[in-house]
Amino acid sequence: MTEQETYMAQALALAREAAAAGEVPVGCVIVRGGEIVGRGRNRREEKQSTASHAEMEAIAMANETVGSWRLDDCTLYVTLEPCPMCAGAILNARIPRVYYGARDRAMGACGGVLNLYMEPFALTPALVGGILADECRAVLESFFRSIRADKLP
Ligand SMILES: [Zn+2]
């Protein structure tokens, strides 16, 4: 496994935790100097909070761990391409590197629908998609399959 795959596997473990809790399975870790300083998973249902995406949770934890809103020496790994809200939070946190797993053709703001990081903002995070993409997609697909199965009469 590459370093990127190792950290993505950690994010995937959080995504699986989300699925087990009945949440759309998305997980995220934030790494600084070889250490994970933030972990998050989708908790939208649990908290009934629109903003409780994996990246937002991981950024909040990293802010606390690092003791700063500024995460300009951190790298973010997330199993699903960030949405506009999370891509915006990444910009505001000054995170310079983003790795994601599966592409999101419905809500993705890093290439799936549009690419926010191609716009002339003050900061342009380096972006690499497709890390453990098959595994990241499989977790989502099996979650949605099980939901559909539950709804069958
Ligand atoms: Zn999001």
Side-chain angles (χ1 to χ4, degrees), residues 45 57 71 74:
E45 300 297 334
E57 298 246 319
L71 303 175
C74 294

Side-chain angles (χ1 to χ4, degrees), residues 114-136:
L114 57 76
N115 190 343
L116 207 59
Y117 300 158
M118 300 280 279
E119 302 301 322
F121 291 111
L123 179 84
T124 309
L127 182 67
V128 180
I131 313 291
L132 298 184
D134 292 346
E135 288 92 327
C136 293

Side-chain angles (χ1 to χ4, degrees), residues 87-141:
I90 288 164
L91 280 180
N92 275 285
R94 310 281 195 267
I95 295 171
R97 276 175 307 278
V98 174
Y99 293 96
Y100 70 84
R103 184 150 267 216
D104 187 352
R105 297 264 176 220
M107 289 294 279
C110 296
V113 176
L114 57 76
N115 190 343
L116 207 59
Y117 300 158
M118 300 280 279
E119 302 301 322
F121 291 111
L123 179 84
T124 309
L127 182 67
V128 180
I131 313 291
L132 298 184
D134 292 346
E135 288 92 327
C136 293
R137 199 176 309 110
V139 170
L140 285 159
E141 283 171 358

